[in-house]
Amino acid sequence: MFKILILEDDYLFAQSLEDVLEDEGFDISLAACAKEVLDLNYENNYDLYLLDINVPDMSGIELLKLLRTSNDNTPTIFLTSYKDKNTLKECFISGADDFLQKPVDLDELILRIYSVLKRSGKQLQDIVLSNGLSFNVKNKRLSQDKKDLNLPIKVISLFELCLENRDSIITKEMIVNKLWVCSEEYSEGSIRVYINNLKKLLPENSITNIKAIGYRIEF
């Protein structure tokens, strides 16, 4: 399932968001300040951020600027009570993909979330490849001829990255950012192991090595 990190210091509103989005099938993490966001981000990879602006220790806008300067391009939606054009302009300059004004219509929020995920290349519907391989997007499970393959989470994450970048190139940096969080170590050998594991599942020549750059994805 898609993982969403919510920055919101209003506890009741944060709980409401968590309840609604978990019912929709999302995996939710809550943070009440920027430091908590950075701590959670150090241990996890997320598919989407929902950020408030007025929060303790650092504004949501400054936080997003910090994340973007560290090459974190996770899709982001601001949930804010601000209405002035300068603040909203700052949201987009900082790297936001969308915003919603409070009080938030939760049905509209869900639609905006799916729209942003789709624009960012996230696969929203289950897929079936010609070789009988199928991917359940909601549960993040890969099956072969309807039998769950029980693959390691990093192989699943690599498959997702390939889905998001079909008919293009994924660099080694993209793979590292997708498969490992900041607190984990990795090696060139481990990248090759996961790539080779995925090659065995996909149709022949779906992944081609591009020396010193990464891999071309075609399936």
Side-chain angles (χ1 to χ4, degrees):
M1 61 184 68
F2 292 109
K3 298 179 68 174
I4 298 178
L5 175 55
I6 299 174
L7 171 61
E8 175 57 62
D9 63 340
D10 182 328
Y11 178 77
L12 291 179
F13 181 47
Q15 286 292 312
S16 297
L17 290 174
E18 182 179 32
D19 291 343
V20 169
L21 295 178
E22 283 185 344
D23 285 344
E24 190 67 21
F26 295 108
D27 182 359
I28 304 299
S29 296
L30 296 179
C33 65
K35 182 181 182 303
E36 290 183 8
V37 169
L38 295 175
D39 289 342
L40 287 166
N41 204 39
Y42 188 75
E43 298 292 339
N44 301 277
N45 287 321
Y46 291 95
D47 298 293
L48 180 77
Y49 298 140
L50 296 179
L51 304 181
D52 190 10
I53 293 179
N54 273 338
V55 290
D57 68 32
M58 182 188 297
S59 76
I61 290 176
E62 292 303 315
L63 172 63
L64 185 58
K65 287 179 180 178
L66 178 62
L67 292 170
R68 293 296 190 244
T69 57
S70 63
N71 295 318
D72 184 341
N73 295 312
T74 303
T76 301
I77 300 174
F78 275 107
L79 306 181
T80 177
S81 56
Y82 283 94
K83 297 182 179 179
D84 63 285
K85 291 182 179 179
N86 287 336
T87 301
L88 299 179
K89 181 179 178 180
E90 276 296 304
C91 290
F92 287 107
I93 291 175
S94 68
D97 297 270
D98 203 350
F99 77 92
L100 273 176
Q101 291 183 344
K102 297 179 178 178
V104 172
D105 182 303
L106 295 177
D107 289 331
E108 182 179 0
L109 173 61
I110 291 171
L111 292 175
R112 296 288 188 99
I113 287 172
Y114 280 120
S115 177
V116 168
L117 288 173
K118 184 176 181 180
R119 291 203 305 268
S120 66
K122 301 292 184 182
Q123 182 69 37
L124 301 180
Q125 295 180 332
D126 294 354
I127 69 160
V128 179
L129 300 183
S130 58
N131 64 345
L133 190 71
S134 61
F135 180 56
N136 184 305
V137 173
K138 183 175 181 179
N139 297 321
K140 295 200 174 185
R141 306 299 296 178
L142 269 168
S143 301
Q144 183 76 51
D145 298 323
K146 300 184 180 180
K147 182 179 180 181
D148 195 312
L149 295 173
N150 293 313
L151 296 172
I153 186 62
K154 282 185 169 54
V155 177
I156 299 290
S157 296
L158 180 58
F159 179 75
E160 282 189 294
L161 182 64
C162 291
L163 278 179
E164 294 164 11
N165 296 275
R166 280 183 289 184
D167 301 321
S168 60
I169 294 172
I170 56 173
T171 65
K172 291 181 180 179
E173 182 181 23
M174 292 167 65
I175 295 173
V176 171
N177 290 338
K178 180 73 173 181
L179 270 61
W180 286 275
V181 295
C182 297
S183 57
E184 293 180 311
E185 294 184 356
Y186 73 94
S187 66
E188 292 286 334
S190 59
I191 293 176
R192 288 194 295 270
V193 167
Y194 291 125
I195 286 288
N196 288 333
N197 286 342
L198 196 55
K199 280 183 176 181
K200 295 175 183 178
L201 299 173
L202 296 175
E204 189 175 359
N205 298 323
S206 294
I207 302 177
T208 305
N209 182 45
I210 301 177
K211 189 175 181 180
I213 297 177
Y215 302 88
R216 181 179 296 280
I217 310 300
E218 297 176 300
F219 67 87

